[in-house]
Amino acid sequence: MNRIFAMLAVLSLALFSAQVQAQSDAPFEFINYELDNGLEVILVPDSSAPTVAVNIWYDVGSADDPEGRSGFAHLFEHMMFEDSARLSAGERDLLIEGAGGFLNAYVTIERTVYFETLPANQLPLALWLEADRMGSLGLSQENLNNQRAIVIEEYQFRVANQPNAAALQTLLFESYDYAPYNRWTIGNVDDLNNATLDDVRDFHANYYKPNNATLTVVGDIDVEQTRALIEQYFGPIPRQDDPPPLPEYVPSPRTAPEIRDFEDPLARVPVLALAHTLPERSHPDYAAAILLSDVLSGGASSRFAQNIVDSGLANTAIAGTSGNRGPGLFYMYFIPREGVELETIEDAYRAELNRIMDEGIPADELEKVINQIQVSRVTGLETAFSLAEAVQSANFYFGDPSAVFTEIDRLSDVTEADIQNVIETYLQPETRFEVRVVPVEGDPEPVPAAVVDDAEDPEDSLVATHIQEQQTPPEPLPINGFELPAFTETTLDNGMEVVVIERDELPIVSAGLYLPGGDAAVPDGLTGLGDLTASLLNRGTEARTAQEIALEIEQIGGSLGADSARDWLEMSVLTLSEDVDTGFDLLGDIALNPAFTEAEIELERNSAITSLQGGTLTDPFSLAARAFNRVLYPEHPYGNQTTVETLQAITRDDITDYYAAQLNPANAVLVIAGDIDAETAITLAEDTFGALEPLDETFAYPPVPVHEAGVQVYIVDRPGPQTRFIVGNLSADARDPNVYNLRVMNEILGGGGLSSRLARNVREEKGYAYTVGSGFRFSVDDGVFFATAASDNEVAPLAIEETIREIEIMRTEEVPADELETIKQGLIGSEALQIESLGSFVGSAASLKLNGLPLDRIGNTSQRYALVDAATVQEVAQQYITPENFVIIAVGDASVIEEPLSAFGPVTILDEE
């Protein structure tokens, strides 16, 4: 533990002050100051990537919703993307995405957050846009009607059409003993329908002001230049009256448990969840609660993992904390295995708490969880956005931005007595708020439709405290020079390709071993074999048990895992750079010596069955994707779908034979990235995998059948208020020479976030959907084009119609020159955002190598995008998107959608399986 403390002690030198620090050995400089109007500013220069994050937190959340207006802060967050004094609705999306960045916002109980991440030279644009948002808001009844409809679609998407969602919303909000926190952030539909323009005007006046906000800028910035820009754009916005305070919190602990039972027609498995009230996040007991939650469920060696999951009682067992400036929560969530009663789960988790009370916690167990937290904090500093969020959080909850590092000290000071005190004081059975989900037959409760208020707009529809003098977006700054990290490629004698990416900004190393095959290599009748095999790889080797593997990697704060994808199996490890030898020892052991014991097979099989029943077969998008693949790939591994029957059919011999056929160094790829030099990395690769013998035959992907059956419509009949649909066709593979042309085309159509044509039409203009978009899946030997959205059942056919109409326009009309240029520049600029994290480097390098493509595509796409013209965009849309052969999948209530969907083509009704 001391070695990690030593490393973080260096980080903690980066204390915040009003001036730039003098310490030359600190990894970051931090500047914290306040404008005359009360806006707090935090600057964090970081030149590890040519990016910048602009992040502004307003001190307002659902706790501040007006009486009878639950969800209003969330609705207002949407409204703040509409008109302003200088911008029309949707224009800020076009500007940021056209500059190569992304933007979004979110609301919690206590805060509203807006953020942009973009190339560093575009900093003036982000600051200008956020100052415009703070200083003015355009109001119209049309905008309010439109955003209300989108928020209600979001409510249906996240709550009404998802199993367990209403129960968990109830737990996470109504369990507090503080009335302002009891309001659901997403809101109540009736309350949303009652919102008026006057409500919006008043809310803006109360909360959206410089003296109620903190602006953080993180990334490749010049400090004095950034200070000047902030003063230029935000300085003229006047200070206003302080916002109305929340009522004082007076703790009132429960003296008897409160239990809510939910009969959920969308659920397939029961769920047990409970919460206890904690003190505020800055309270010393909260730090002890964090460690307790990790002792219980922090990783595969945790107590819940060992004694509840591995023992066969539950498929999922999670403990966690939710911290606020007011009361917090300690929560637990369980999905029992089939046949296990909820009361048995209650007894099991209570037994773990009692054991801690009776026996305490061994020092090495506390050391393990602290190491895990510390390493996760280090890896959380990789991107400008994640660092900005961490700094904001420290400032918001502790009143001290330096707590982004010094909170570690609070955790290291926690003792087993402190943890026992948390159990004794806060987690007694009588203080719990509990929800139980029971699957039932029937239809969900209907959701009221969004109200369209036809009241006339007021003459003055602009709310403004300040209108910027600069009327047009500012010019970007000069581009700073940036060099990609060094790439080294080599091939071991056994044929394994090794890629090393040297990047030393943080003391971590990430590595991934990729074996071609994956789902494509699974025999008929055994679908799910790839996922089951991957789940078993770190569940025991010839020398180590599953628990020994988990304990060894988690003791050093690292992570080790395996996954099965469509075209390959992957094993990965992440550690501190000083622990890389241990990481590779474990990676090599699980790859080369898996035990595949019968006991672990049964545990993982049961877990897979429960996950299938409680997750995949209840999620609308998963159901749509299963049907989509099934129709596109008849009699092909890609089209086969995992069922309870296929999982039950898998034997140990199937697993060992399947894995043996994949473990072939002759076509494997190993990518190592991070704080390690190429010579050391290649030596590790050779020592770990050099003795692995190549197989006589390498895996060959089976050919994909041509799909030309005309338009086919399939409805997966599922009760619920929404329809999730996918439309699409087979298309280009990863090696197709038109891949970059297709990316430009798709960015215009539906891949470009809220600025894309589908988002502007289906979401923003029509209000038919909360989520909508399009994309290409470029695989090794085939690819798919798809467009998807989730819409209310009544308007789903209209949403599909508009989606196809936008596709036809793309195929038949040339893209206007200004729209094309904006999208191209956005894609060129976004390249900077793809090289912030080790994970992005590892994944990109592996994908290129496995698809037989050169690594120079990383960070070197500007010329490819620059060459795309309007005629090419139209040509590739015509060639690779074929509406005459569309497969249309709709997951929704067939009694409502069957007749209108028949207008698109012959309809086949499927059940949820």
Side-chain angles (χ1 to χ4, degrees):
M1 179 164 63
N2 290 337
R3 58 186 179 71
I4 298 183
F5 281 159
M7 180 196 67
L8 285 166
V10 175
L11 295 179
S12 66
L13 290 175
L15 300 176
F16 291 70
S17 68
Q19 301 296 324
V20 176
Q21 287 186 310
Q23 293 109 313
S24 60
D25 56 345
F28 304 109
E29 294 177 330
F30 298 88
I31 302 92
N32 182 21
Y33 65 99
E34 188 174 292
L35 299 187
D36 292 342
N37 58 14
L39 176 67
E40 185 174 13
V41 179
I42 304 169
L43 307 181
V44 187
D46 175 15
S47 59
S48 61
T51 60
V52 66
V54 172
N55 189 296
I56 187 162
W57 284 28
Y58 289 92
D59 191 354
V60 55
S62 58
D64 302 286
D65 285 345
E67 190 66 32
R69 294 291 186 272
S70 66
F72 196 78
H74 177 224
L75 174 63
F76 196 81
E77 172 237 309
H78 282 250
M79 289 293 296
M80 289 293 282
F81 280 91
E82 295 300 291
D83 298 342
S84 69
R86 297 299 186 210
L87 299 167
S88 59
E91 194 171 356
R92 71 180 64 248
D93 306 301
L94 288 168
L95 288 169
I96 289 293
E97 291 165 6
F102 71 88
L103 73 168
N104 213 324
Y106 66 87
V107 177
T108 72
I109 287 175
E110 296 181 312
R111 65 184 184 271
T112 299
V113 177
Y114 298 93
F115 59 87
E116 295 87 12
T117 301
L118 61 174
N121 70 311
Q122 295 288 352
L123 172 63
L125 174 63
L127 294 174
W128 183 80
L129 289 170
E130 287 301 341
D132 177 76
R133 193 197 314 262
M134 180 183 288
S136 65
L137 171 66
L139 291 180
S140 71
Q141 190 63 55
E142 180 183 2
N143 285 346
L144 176 56
N145 290 341
N146 176 267
Q147 293 306 307
R148 177 175 22 229
I150 292 171
V151 170
I152 290 175
E153 284 297 328
E154 181 179 0
Y155 176 89
Q156 301 205 93
F157 175 72
R158 296 191 186 279
V159 179
N161 206 36
Q162 292 291 337
N164 312 322
L168 294 180
Q169 289 283 309
T170 299
L171 180 85
L172 294 177
F173 293 99
E174 297 180 28
S175 56
Y176 288 105
D177 61 343
Y178 184 43
Y181 287 8
N182 295 150
R183 304 171 186 132
W184 292 17
T185 297
I186 200 166
N188 170 283
V189 174
D190 289 334
D191 287 352
L192 292 168
N193 275 328
N194 289 331
T196 68
L197 274 177
D198 285 340
D199 295 330
V200 177
R201 187 184 300 272
D202 292 343
F203 205 77
H204 184 275
N206 280 334
Y207 298 107
Y208 276 77
K209 54 190 70 176
N211 47 307
N212 195 45
T214 299
L215 170 68
T216 294
V217 181
V218 174
D220 191 11
I221 60 173
D222 176 273
V223 170
E224 293 308 315
Q225 182 182 56
T226 303
R227 291 184 70 142
L229 288 168
I230 291 170
E231 181 63 41
Q232 176 185 347
Y233 296 130
F234 289 91
I237 304 175
R239 177 189 290 269
Q240 299 169 58
D241 293 337
D242 290 336
L246 290 171
E248 181 183 0
Y249 169 59
V250 179
S252 54
R254 289 182 183 81
T255 56
E258 185 173 352
I259 300 174
R260 305 274 186 94
D261 291 318
F262 286 80
E263 294 184 340
D264 191 340
L266 296 178
R268 286 182 172 231
V269 297
V271 167
L272 172 69
L274 62 146
H276 299 264
T277 300
L278 292 174
E280 66 275 13
R281 182 172 167 181
S282 59
H283 193 284
D285 286 347
Y286 192 85
I290 291 175
L291 289 189
L292 172 60
S293 69
D294 276 15
V295 166
L296 292 175
S297 71
S301 66
S302 67
R303 297 188 177 212
F304 279 0
Q306 292 181 66
N307 302 324
I308 296 181
V309 175
D310 289 354
S311 69
L313 294 179
N315 187 61
T316 301
I318 295 171
T321 60
S322 178
N324 302 299
R325 289 186 301 188
L329 290 181
F330 189 99
Y331 59 84
M332 288 175 273
Y333 176 81
F334 305 93
I335 300 177
R337 292 276 168 85
E338 186 175 1
V340 177
E341 299 294 330
L342 296 183
E343 289 76 12
T344 302
I345 301 295
E346 285 187 325
D347 292 342
Y349 86 73
R350 180 52 57 181
E352 292 305 317
L353 295 177
N354 290 338
R355 189 155 66 92
I356 293 172
M357 292 300 295
D358 294 339
E359 302 173 9
I361 303 171
D364 59 347
E365 188 174 5
L366 269 181
E367 177 183 346
K368 179 194 68 173
V369 299
I370 292 172
N371 285 349
Q372 288 177 286
I373 292 170
Q374 291 172 327
V375 175
S376 72
R377 298 284 175 95
V378 173
T379 57
L381 306 178
E382 278 196 284
T383 68
F385 170 72
S386 61
L387 179 55
E389 282 281 285
V391 170
Q392 286 275 32
S393 180
N395 188 60
F396 189 81
Y397 291 114
F398 296 99
D400 176 11
S402 68
V404 71
F405 299 119
T406 60
E407 190 183 9
I408 295 291
D409 298 332
R410 299 173 67 243
L411 294 170
S412 67
D413 291 339
V414 171
T415 66
E416 69 171 28
D418 296 327
I419 294 175
Q420 289 170 325
N421 177 65
V422 165
I423 297 173
E424 179 68 30
T425 306
Y426 305 106
L427 304 188
Q428 292 304 305
E430 62 271 14
T431 67
R432 77 185 187 277
F433 183 102
E434 183 174 301
V435 298
R436 299 173 174 222
V437 178
V438 179
V440 295
E441 297 291 332
D443 294 333
E445 291 290 326
V447 176
V451 166
V452 178
D453 191 332
D454 58 3
E456 293 185 5
D457 290 340
E459 291 184 10
D460 180 8
S461 64
L462 180 69
V463 175
T465 56
H466 169 73
I467 297 177
Q468 298 205 46
E469 293 182 6
Q470 184 166 338
Q471 299 191 25
T472 58
E475 291 296 316
L477 301 170
I479 297 175
N480 292 334
F482 179 81
E483 292 185 8
L484 284 169
F487 284 66
T488 301
E489 298 181 68
T490 191
T491 302
L492 305 185
D493 290 343
N494 60 10
M496 180 179 289
E497 293 189 82
V498 179
V499 178
V500 183
I501 305 168
E502 299 179 52
R503 191 170 183 185
D504 62 1
E505 290 87 1
L506 291 172
I508 53 178
V509 174
S510 176
L513 173 66
Y514 298 82
L515 307 175
D519 294 342
V522 173
D524 288 345
L526 298 178
T527 312
L529 176 59
D531 288 331
L532 185 58
T533 302
S535 72
L536 288 161
L537 286 172
N538 60 353
R539 297 297 300 173
T541 67
E542 295 171 5
R544 295 175 171 99
T545 66
Q547 283 303 319
E548 287 170 340
I549 292 170
L551 185 59
E552 190 168 351
I553 190 66
E554 290 169 7
Q555 196 69 43
I556 60 174
S559 61
L560 180 75
D563 190 26
S564 176
R566 176 183 171 90
D567 291 319
W568 51 74
L569 284 170
E570 173 193 358
M571 284 153 276
S572 61
V573 66
L574 182 146
T575 71
L576 293 174
S577 49
E578 64 185 51
D579 294 319
V580 70
D581 288 343
T582 300
F584 261 78
D585 182 40
L586 288 166
L587 179 65
D589 198 23
I590 69 168
L592 302 175
N593 309 303
F596 298 133
T597 66
E598 292 287 2
E600 292 292 346
I601 289 171
E602 290 312 306
L603 275 174
E604 293 303 309
R605 188 200 314 275
N606 289 334
S607 177
I609 290 172
T610 304
S611 296
L612 176 70
Q613 294 174 326
T616 303
L617 296 180
T618 62
D619 176 64
F621 181 74
S622 297
L623 290 168
R626 282 165 64 91
F628 188 64
N629 288 333
R630 189 64 173 159
V631 175
L632 280 180
Y633 301 105
E635 300 180 2
H636 188 279
Y638 292 158
N640 295 336
Q641 300 303 314
T642 304
T643 66
V644 172
E645 290 73 23
T646 63
L647 288 169
Q648 289 175 334
I650 296 169
T651 67
R652 184 179 185 277
D653 286 344
D654 295 326
I655 294 168
T656 57
D657 291 347
Y658 169 79
Y659 186 66
Q662 310 307 298
L663 188 60
N664 186 2
N667 59 359
V669 174
L670 175 65
V671 183
I672 307 168
D675 184 22
I676 188 170
D677 64 83
E679 183 180 355
T680 301
I682 293 169
T683 299
L684 271 173
E686 180 66 46
D687 290 346
T688 307
F689 298 108
L692 181 62
E693 293 291 334
L695 302 181
D696 292 336
E697 296 183 9
T698 57
F699 175 76
Y701 291 94
V704 174
V706 176
H707 181 83
E708 294 179 348
V711 176
Q712 296 174 272
V713 181
Y714 291 83
I715 296 175
V716 181
D717 190 13
R718 176 185 185 270
Q722 263 192 339
T723 294
R724 183 65 186 243
F725 67 82
I726 300 176
V727 304
N729 55 263
L730 293 176
S731 193
D733 63 38
R735 292 187 293 271
D736 194 293
N738 278 308
V739 161
Y740 289 94
N741 300 327
L742 289 168
R743 286 177 178 165
V744 173
M745 184 274 294
N746 181 66
E747 199 78 359
I748 297 167
L749 176 62
L754 295 178
S755 67
S756 70
R757 291 181 177 186
L758 285 176
R760 296 203 308 267
N761 179 346
V762 178
R763 173 180 158 134
E764 296 299 325
E765 294 176 16
K766 303 295 192 307
Y768 290 160
Y770 167 69
T771 176
V772 60
S774 65
F776 285 88
R777 182 179 64 207
F778 300 117
S779 298
V780 174
D781 271 351
D782 89 304
V784 168
F785 164 77
F786 65 93
T788 182
S791 300
D792 181 90
N793 289 331
E794 300 294 337
V795 301
L798 299 176
I800 295 174
E801 182 179 319
E802 290 299 319
T803 298
I804 294 175
R805 187 172 74 85
E806 290 292 350
I807 290 169
E808 288 292 358
I809 291 172
M810 183 64 69
R811 297 176 76 248
T812 58
E813 299 178 15
E814 279 201 356
V815 177
D818 57 347
E819 183 181 15
L820 176 61
E821 188 59 27
T822 296
I823 292 299
K824 287 164 57 176
Q825 291 305 312
L827 283 167
I828 292 169
S830 68
E831 190 171 66
L833 276 62
Q834 311 307 315
I835 54 175
E836 285 192 292
S837 70
L838 292 185
S840 63
F841 274 112
V842 171
S844 296
S847 179
L848 289 170
K849 296 298 289 185
L850 289 161
N851 285 298
L853 297 168
L855 290 181
D856 66 5
R857 291 197 178 193
I858 298 176
N860 187 27
T861 58
S862 300
Q863 292 182 342
R864 295 181 176 93
Y865 289 131
L867 293 173
V868 181
D869 59 24
T872 302
V873 168
Q874 186 176 349
E875 288 170 6
V876 296
Q878 292 171 345
Q879 181 178 350
Y880 294 94
I881 306 179
T882 56
E884 66 274 13
N885 286 311
F886 265 177
V887 169
I888 302 175
I889 306 294
V891 178
D893 189 336
S895 67
V896 178
I897 63 176
E898 179 179 7
E899 182 177 350
L901 291 190
S902 66
F904 297 104
V907 175
T908 301
I909 306 293
L910 309 173
D911 63 29
E912 292 182 9
E913 298 291 339

